[in-house]
Amino acid sequence: EATPQYYKMVSVLFTDFKSFTQAASTINPQELVYTLNECFTAFDDIIGRHNLEKIKTIGDAYMCAGGLPVQNTSNPADAVWAALEICHWVSAWNAQRTSKGLAPWELRIGVNTGDLIAGVIGKKKFAYDVWGDTVNIAARMESSGEIGKVNISASTYEYVKSQFECEDRGKLPVKGKEVMNMYFVNGVLNTTDSRNGNG
């Protein structure tokens, strides 16, 4: 049991495979589950190295967050590092698939930072979950992104702009919102944070 708790600063990361439904109709269920498991196991390892907490998977979507259940101030950078490493892993994995004559699985990834509520509700099949506009915006960053790129919100950008090279995409339309500023993370600036495996 975890009483729902307010967190002032959490970074939520979403990934999703483009055209997954179409791809799923062309392979058998066992291969589909095996391939998803291969990806999500790798994602689990990556986010664990960057101090993020897995929240859940929904079909082909993967969701995790930093700054909970133990609060910290490093979570925006943690999430961006993890996102870059996930992109790097998927790119290498797709190269292997292509070399075997298999179709690549194209990934979009988005990150947003803000406040939210986290905890456990209900009375059956307990699951730790998160709620709030911060979560919705993270999902919008993913769906508004491009294949193989890390798309972040303006709030995340403000926390990480001294560590990462970011490309201002300007104000773009977002479902359920009018327009929002968003940024692609193109690389790492010279900082004292020299993590390995970020791609």
Side-chain angles (χ1 to χ4, degrees), residues 96-151:
Q96 291 182 339
R97 286 181 61 82
T98 303
S99 71
K100 297 174 185 174
L102 299 171
W105 282 25
E106 298 178 314
L107 187 80
R108 285 189 305 253
I109 189 161
V111 178
N112 178 49
T113 304
D115 63 340
L116 51 70
I117 302 292
V120 177
I121 59 174
K123 65 179 184 178
K124 290 187 176 180
K125 294 190 176 180
F126 300 118
Y128 188 75
D129 208 346
V130 291
W131 303 272
D133 204 37
T134 293
V135 181
N136 299 332
I137 293 172
R140 300 291 179 258
M141 290 303 106
E142 175 272 307
S143 61
S144 301
E146 292 182 6
I147 298 304
K149 293 191 174 184
V150 177
N151 191 42

Side-chain angles (χ1 to χ4, degrees), residues 140-141 144-146 151-155 157 166-174 178-185:
R140 300 291 179 258
M141 290 303 106
S144 301
E146 292 182 6
N151 191 42
I152 65 174
S153 66
S155 60
Y157 169 76
C166 299
E167 173 188 339
D168 188 348
R169 302 182 64 200
K171 292 184 181 292
L172 296 174
V174 173
E178 290 186 4
V179 292
M180 296 192 75
N181 281 95
M182 52 189 82
Y183 301 78
F184 283 140
V185 181

Side-chain angles (χ1 to χ4, degrees), residues 49-62:
R49 289 197 292 273
H50 295 286
N51 201 31
L52 304 180
E53 188 80 16
K54 182 177 181 178
I55 304 298
K56 59 186 170 184
T57 60
I58 310 162
D60 64 312
Y62 184 100

Side-chain angles (χ1 to χ4, degrees):
E1 190 172 322
T3 304
Q5 181 178 344
Y6 173 78
Y7 291 86
K8 186 175 182 180
M9 178 181 161
V10 172
S11 293
V12 179
L13 183 157
F14 265 101
T15 78
D16 194 45
F17 288 101
K18 181 187 176 186
S19 304
F20 174 80
T21 304
Q22 181 180 348
S25 66
T26 64
I27 60 176
N28 66 56
Q30 291 86 354
E31 183 183 349
L32 180 71
V33 171
Y34 173 83
T35 306
L36 270 180
N37 184 63
E38 187 179 8
C39 291
F40 290 165
T41 299
F43 294 4
D44 287 347
D45 291 341
I46 290 167
I47 71 161
R49 289 197 292 273
H50 295 286
N51 201 31
L52 304 180
E53 188 80 16
K54 182 177 181 178
I55 304 298
K56 59 186 170 184
T57 60
I58 310 162
D60 64 312
Y62 184 100
M63 177 185 177
C64 62
L68 54 73
V70 178
Q71 300 186 52
N72 62 47
T73 57
S74 65
N75 61 82
D78 294 338
V80 173
W81 278 108
L84 288 171
E85 190 172 342
I86 287 171
C87 282
H88 179 71
W89 184 90
V90 170
S91 177
W93 177 74
N94 273 328
Q96 291 182 339
R97 286 181 61 82
T98 303
S99 71
K100 297 174 185 174
L102 299 171
W105 282 25
E106 298 178 314
L107 187 80
R108 285 189 305 253
I109 189 161
V111 178
N112 178 49
T113 304
D115 63 340
L116 51 70
I117 302 292
V120 177
I121 59 174
K123 65 179 184 178
K124 290 187 176 180
K125 294 190 176 180
F126 300 118
Y128 188 75
D129 208 346
V130 291
W131 303 272
D133 204 37
T134 293
V135 181
N136 299 332
I137 293 172
R140 300 291 179 258
M141 290 303 106
E142 175 272 307
S143 61
S144 301
E146 292 182 6
I147 298 304
K149 293 191 174 184
V150 177
N151 191 42
I152 65 174
S153 66
S155 60
T156 300
Y157 169 76
E158 288 302 321
Y159 287 110
V160 305
K161 61 185 178 183
S162 65
Q163 293 177 256
F164 299 94
E165 178 193 334
C166 299
E167 173 188 339
D168 188 348
R169 302 182 64 200
K171 292 184 181 292
L172 296 174
V174 173
K175 182 181 177 182
K177 307 282 180 185
E178 290 186 4
V179 292
M180 296 192 75
N181 281 95
M182 52 189 82
Y183 301 78
F184 283 140
V185 181
N186 291 332
V188 182
L189 297 174
N190 292 325
T191 71
T192 55
D193 189 346
S194 55
R195 306 185 201 192
N196 293 322
N198 62 75

